[in-house]
Amino acid sequence: MNIDTLIIGAGAAGMMCAAHAGPNTLVVDHAKAAGEKIRISGGGRCNFTNMHASPANFISQNKHFCKSALKRYTQWDFIALVDQYRIAWHEKTLGQLFCDETAKDIVAMLRAEMDKSGAQLWLQTSVDNIGHDGTHFHAQLTRDGRITQILAKNLVVASGGKSIPKMGATGLAYQIAGQFDVPVIETRPGLVPFTFGEDRFKPLAGVALPARVSANNTSFDEAILFTHRGLSGPAVLQASSYWHEGEQITVNVDPAAGLFNTLKSARQTQGRKALTTVMSQYLPARLVEVLSGDLQLAGNIADQSDARLQEIADQLSHWELTPSGTEGYRTAEVTLGGIDTDALSSKTMGAKSVPGLYFIGEAVDVTGWLGGYNFQWAWSSGWAAGQEI
Ligand code: FDA
């Protein structure tokens, strides 16, 4: 079968690309349905973009690479598309836009756009024997036990990263890159909970509070959540993308810096209360209880000097922790690293050394923050490749 464009992966990036790549396009995916990650994202409501999306919200070895695509297909372009399909949406927090009803509306919208452009979709299809004969890409597709040999002018790799293998993630993009001598930046899980050894936080499982979490000089002010295995919550997930194995993180559980003054005034009004009791009015009681040993929180509040109260406040705003690891690709929302952007055109996502070969979406070494940024990258990079094809 002779076609113009073969797109591997009917996820966010692949579907967006197919909607713009022209009629003689075939999208293949080994999954049962297209856009499965879209469907489950944002608790089923898909955080489809962020009003504040800008290159500053993306991690890449080349921080300039994402600029062109994000500028040419912006969050406002995607919002206009969503509006055109009369999909109701709302801002939840921090510019994060969610569907009012269901993420399935976004999948249906992209499918409709693909149909409009004439792209075909083959699901439950495996791809083997990918190669290039100098003018065309070839691949062997297997669907329903039937084998189809494909010849295509363009090959778009939109098969995503390694996150959540249970949902069909494979390393295919890196394998194809290797085959065509396109370099790959080492991958690691991002937007992922931290783990700590020895059940360290088990007694705190379920405790949530606002905090500032810092890793590698980058800080995020959002909620944190203690889990049976360690630490999660938006601030932790964000910081995890900046963290490397063995490094320390800093957790500030007093981000509003009000603890010292609160304790000082309580010393006047509630002097006979235990220090831990007063602190529990400001912080979750279970956290205070667990920290009381480490921080030696003994005695009544009246017994504490200004210096001692300041010391406690300082300790709680510079809580240094070394995670033993992360929960890994099993739960990571994204994959950091990937196809080296130096090998790609930032305008088209095309591989500089192999005309007609494109890499888009999460497979590329561009990773967004939590909050709709990763889908925006999928839309922008998919659109950029689609324009060129
Ligand atoms: P994506 O992973 O979407 O698609 C890749 C496709 O390729 C899949 O359909 C897969 O089946 C297929 N494929 C893989 N290997 C193949 C092979 N060997 N053969 C054939 N097909 C193959 N982001 C965001 O901005 N807002 C949000 O709300 C969320 N929420 C969220 C929740 C959860 C639980 C996860 C895991 C992730 C998110 N994300 C997110 C991140 C977001 O889902 C992700 O960045 C994009 O889906 C990436 O889009 P891609 O199209 O690049 O890959």
Side-chain angles (χ1 to χ4, degrees), residues 62-68 341 344-346 349 364 366 377:
N62 176 359
K63 62 183 188 328
H64 303 294
F65 179 82
C66 62
K67 286 182 180 170
S68 168
T341 57
L344 304 179
S345 152
S346 63
M349 306 294 135
V364 178
V366 173
W377 172 246

Side-chain angles (χ1 to χ4, degrees), residues 275-327:
L275 172 61
T276 49
T277 307
V278 176
M279 285 181 66
S280 301
Q281 295 165 5
Y282 189 83
L283 291 165
R286 265 204 281 161
L287 177 64
V288 175
E289 196 186 313
V290 166
L291 289 176
S292 63
D294 284 358
L295 303 188
Q296 296 173 348
L297 304 176
N300 287 346
I301 182 94
D303 306 331
Q304 317 294 326
S305 65
D306 274 5
R308 174 67 184 134
L309 294 183
Q310 190 62 61
E311 186 186 37
I312 294 168
D314 287 348
Q315 282 168 324
L316 287 171
S317 55
H318 292 97
W319 190 13
E320 288 175 346
L321 296 166
T322 306
S324 54
T326 70
E327 290 192 1

Side-chain angles (χ1 to χ4, degrees), residues 8-14 28-31 37 40-42 46-47 125 127 158-160 164 167-170 172 332-334 360-363 372-375 378:
I8 304 177
V28 294
D29 201 300
H30 63 175
K37 276 196 184 164
I40 60 140
S41 67
C46 185
N47 177 193
T125 301
V127 190
S159 53
I164 323 230
M167 291 199 66
T170 64
L172 182 64
E333 271 196 24
V334 285
I360 56 176
E362 197 178 317
Y373 301 100
N374 284 297
F375 278 139

Side-chain angles (χ1 to χ4, degrees), residues 100 284 291 293 335:
D100 282 1
L291 289 176
T335 302

Side-chain angles (χ1 to χ4, degrees), residues 59-111:
I59 302 164
S60 170
Q61 286 224 333
N62 176 359
K63 62 183 188 328
H64 303 294
F65 179 82
C66 62
K67 286 182 180 170
S68 168
L70 290 173
K71 199 168 153 190
R72 289 167 66 228
Y73 190 87
T74 68
Q75 59 270 45
W76 309 112
D77 293 316
F78 193 76
I79 293 166
L81 182 63
V82 169
D83 286 343
Q84 195 188 315
Y85 278 77
R86 298 184 192 284
I87 299 171
W89 52 267
H90 60 279
E91 180 190 357
K92 199 166 172 191
T93 174
L94 302 168
Q96 301 168 6
L97 304 189
F98 287 75
C99 298
D100 282 1
E101 302 286 333
T102 164
K104 289 181 196 160
D105 290 343
I106 299 291
V107 181
M109 174 188 86
L110 293 165
R111 287 288 294 109

Side-chain angles (χ1 to χ4, degrees), residues 93-94 96 209-214 218-224 233-236 238-239 250 252-257 369:
T93 174
L94 302 168
Q96 301 168 6
L209 71 159
R212 178 173 308 140
V213 183
S214 311
T218 309
S219 302
F220 293 92
D221 277 47
E222 275 183 81
I224 63 169
V236 170
Q238 298 277 34
T250 307
N252 175 356
V253 292
D254 180 24
W369 287 4

